[in-house]
Amino acid sequence: MPFLVLDLEMTGPEPDWNEIIQVGAVLFDDNWVEKGQYLTNVYPENEDAFSSSSEKIHNLSLADLEDAPMIYDVLPELEEWIIKQLGIQKTQKTTDNNPYLREVIICGQSVINDINFLKEAYRLEKLKWPYSRTLVDLHTLSYFAFRILKKNKKPVPQRLSLKEIAGHFGFERESDIHNALEDAVLTAKCLKEVFKLADHLKLGE
């Protein structure tokens, strides 16, 4: 089961109104060996949904996105990139990549939000969802792991934002401006640290 650690920047918080304007991802094989990194901006079809509040977060303006591809080009490009990076040999020419990607698990920080936006993009473009229905969420795993640490009187972060979780493990963003690839890389590092905690967990009889 390959893992795609994904982060998206959007024009706002509502999947049925706002849109994806940046896609960042880090791809790992079954053993969490990195296979590649992906980053692209996306020009939104619904310019009216572009909010100034979201621009303050990702620091991307419509002018910055002027030469970016549209989402209907980005979705199949991402699929083909994953297939290539994993060394999968397609047996026939087809736009349906589900047979090749259905075991790819999407991971992220509060990743259901990113998945909802991605699924809405697939729906609007009338494309078939190719990825696994399973997900790995850093926020949920951290809640559980830090709860155990706290019970054992170990220090834990006060909040479960990506910044706080990363800080706990000694990582940090290069700036306060969100970048989808940087956040995907940071999320992947944190996930690996949470997995390490599980390796050292021992239950009493």
Side-chain angles (χ1 to χ4, degrees):
M1 295 182 295
F3 299 91
L4 183 72
V5 183
L6 180 74
D7 188 81
L8 306 176
E9 300 298 335
M10 290 79 89
T11 61
E14 302 298 332
D16 58 352
W17 172 246
N18 300 113
E19 294 179 81
I20 299 166
I21 55 170
Q22 192 176 68
V23 179
V26 189
L27 182 65
F28 296 87
D29 66 12
D30 302 25
N31 298 311
W32 280 88
V33 175
E34 185 177 322
K35 306 301 289 184
Q37 299 182 2
Y38 179 91
L39 176 66
T40 186
N41 290 337
V42 184
Y43 195 89
E45 295 179 12
N46 182 9
E47 295 180 7
D48 293 337
F50 200 95
S51 65
S52 57
S53 58
S54 67
E55 186 176 342
K56 292 177 182 177
I57 297 172
H58 49 63
N59 200 35
L60 291 170
S61 67
L62 280 174
D64 294 326
L65 303 173
E66 187 174 349
D67 296 326
M70 306 290 276
I71 193 68
Y72 57 75
D73 289 321
V74 171
L75 296 178
E77 178 187 86
L78 177 61
E79 291 180 19
E80 294 298 332
W81 175 80
I82 293 170
I83 290 169
K84 178 182 178 182
Q85 297 304 117
L86 291 176
I88 297 172
Q89 298 296 320
K90 295 175 71 170
T91 56
Q92 57 184 344
K93 289 185 178 181
T94 175
T95 57
D96 179 11
N97 286 320
N98 178 262
Y100 310 105
L101 298 177
R102 62 188 171 199
E103 292 189 353
V104 175
I105 295 175
I106 296 180
C107 317
Q109 165 70 350
S110 300
V111 71
I112 192 63
N113 185 51
D114 299 279
I115 289 175
N116 285 340
F117 266 89
L118 200 60
K119 283 187 173 181
E120 181 66 9
Y122 269 88
R123 186 187 71 80
L124 290 173
E125 301 303 332
K126 297 179 172 56
L127 296 172
K128 185 178 180 181
W129 179 257
Y131 304 108
S132 171
R133 303 287 175 177
T134 305
L135 61 85
V136 175
D137 182 35
L138 175 63
H139 185 277
T140 303
L141 290 175
S142 297
Y143 176 83
F144 180 71
F146 292 149
R147 187 177 176 87
I148 294 173
L149 291 180
K150 188 174 182 180
K151 287 288 184 181
N152 287 275
K153 303 188 185 308
K154 301 291 185 181
V156 297
Q158 292 185 336
R159 292 181 294 277
L160 293 178
S161 66
L162 178 57
K163 181 179 179 179
E164 293 281 336
I165 296 171
H168 176 80
F169 293 121
F171 308 130
E172 61 181 10
R173 285 192 182 103
E174 293 182 5
S175 72
D176 290 331
I177 300 299
H178 288 215
N179 172 278
L181 179 56
E182 183 182 6
D183 281 2
V185 170
L186 199 58
T187 300
K189 288 180 178 179
C190 292
L191 280 169
K192 287 186 174 184
E193 292 300 318
V194 172
F195 296 155
K196 286 180 185 178
L197 290 176
D199 291 339
H200 296 293
L201 178 64
K202 293 182 180 180
L203 298 177
E205 295 183 4

